Amino acid sequence: MQIHIAPSILSADFANLERDLKAISNADMVHVDVMDHHFVPNLTLGEPIVKRICEVTDLPVDVHLMIEDPDRWAPEFAKLGASSVTFHMGATHAPVRLARQLREMGVKACFAVRPAESVEPIFDILDEFDMILIMTVEPGFGGQKFLANQMAKTRRLRDEITRRGLNTHIQVDGGVSPSTASTVAEAGADVLVAGSAVYGAENPAQAIDAIRAQAQEHFRA
């Protein structure tokens, strides 16, 4: 399976966002964190900026909604040009209905799981989603330390996906770097979100290549 790298612009320079988007042109997608100061204790960006990101980058835009009421707002972000929209287990009232609505709009539907949440409750609806996001930090802020204890959860999810013959991707977000990429990939994740490890590097493109190489070498389906 091919490894996908999704740099998070949460660690980019927001005053030079178009420049920083061009700096990751060798990535597979761009990860955009939308936070509302309610579901998580941080506030980032909203629809106008996401719209412009979709307009100025050639990369698929992966929108991660850390907001209340994604049932109402996820379709609006899909309309802006996102290729995938992720919403959280603890925020949605009707995850299957929302996933189907996003897919009908031609957008990949993704479900996010926080560190304290288990993946087993979503096993019965796995086939409704294109990707499951395992958070390896508490959502809300970049630069946090990688939670290695989330790898057992990731492996259980990969084993269930494999057992059922599904094509669901596993994305891991939080503390991903060249030093943790092998651990993440060994657990079965094939989409790696990296923020500070990319934008904090002297050469973001080289950092992307290093993370991809480590993950590709150690990936275990």
Side-chain angles (χ1 to χ4, degrees):
M1 183 176 290
Q2 181 180 354
I3 295 294
H4 299 276
I5 307 300
S8 170
I9 63 164
L10 188 61
S11 297
D13 180 353
F14 277 28
N16 294 282
L17 196 49
E18 186 171 4
R19 179 203 67 188
D20 282 5
L21 286 168
K22 291 178 180 178
I24 60 167
S25 60
N26 62 324
D28 301 285
M29 61 187 78
V30 55
H31 188 81
V32 180
D33 291 306
V34 176
M35 308 181 197
D36 65 357
H37 229 168
H38 296 283
F39 185 70
V40 293
N42 195 7
L43 181 67
T44 54
L45 45 83
E47 292 166 88
I49 298 177
V50 173
K51 182 175 183 292
R52 282 297 290 147
I53 290 171
C54 293
E55 290 171 347
V56 302
T57 183
D58 294 327
L59 295 172
V61 176
D62 175 40
V63 175
H64 178 192
L65 299 179
M66 288 175 266
I67 64 173
E68 293 181 350
D69 200 13
D71 303 86
R72 162 70 178 85
W73 293 108
E76 297 303 313
F77 282 91
K79 293 175 184 176
L80 300 178
S83 65
S84 55
V85 176
T86 302
F87 53 92
H88 274 261
M89 179 187 294
T92 180
H93 300 292
V96 172
R97 181 177 66 195
L98 180 54
R100 291 178 178 178
Q101 183 179 2
L102 290 171
R103 283 176 153 183
E104 288 172 1
M105 298 173 72
V107 175
K108 293 178 181 177
C110 313
F111 208 30
V113 182
R114 290 181 286 185
E117 297 169 334
S118 175
V119 292
E120 281 76 10
I122 64 175
F123 279 4
D124 289 342
I125 58 173
L126 266 179
D127 58 347
E128 300 285 349
F129 295 92
D130 300 287
M131 183 167 67
I132 305 298
L133 167 57
I134 302 294
M135 294 295 299
T136 47
V137 296
E138 290 294 341
F141 295 92
Q144 298 181 60
K145 185 178 179 181
F146 175 75
L147 295 175
N149 59 8
Q150 298 302 300
M151 293 301 94
K153 177 193 300 185
T154 305
R155 172 46 57 188
R156 293 197 302 274
L157 177 59
R158 172 56 65 194
D159 289 345
E160 179 68 10
I161 291 169
T162 300
R163 184 184 70 82
R164 293 169 56 181
L166 301 175
N167 294 318
T168 313
H169 294 281
I170 299 178
Q171 184 178 69
V172 164
D173 182 3
V176 174
S177 68
S179 63
T180 59
S182 58
T183 300
V184 169
E186 284 173 352
D190 61 306
V191 182
L192 280 63
V193 176
S196 55
V198 170
Y199 282 114
E202 184 175 341
N203 188 316
Q206 288 181 1
I208 290 168
D209 288 341
I211 295 169
R212 183 187 288 113
Q214 281 293 316
Q216 195 70 61
E217 180 181 351
H218 292 89
F219 176 75
R220 187 161 62 92

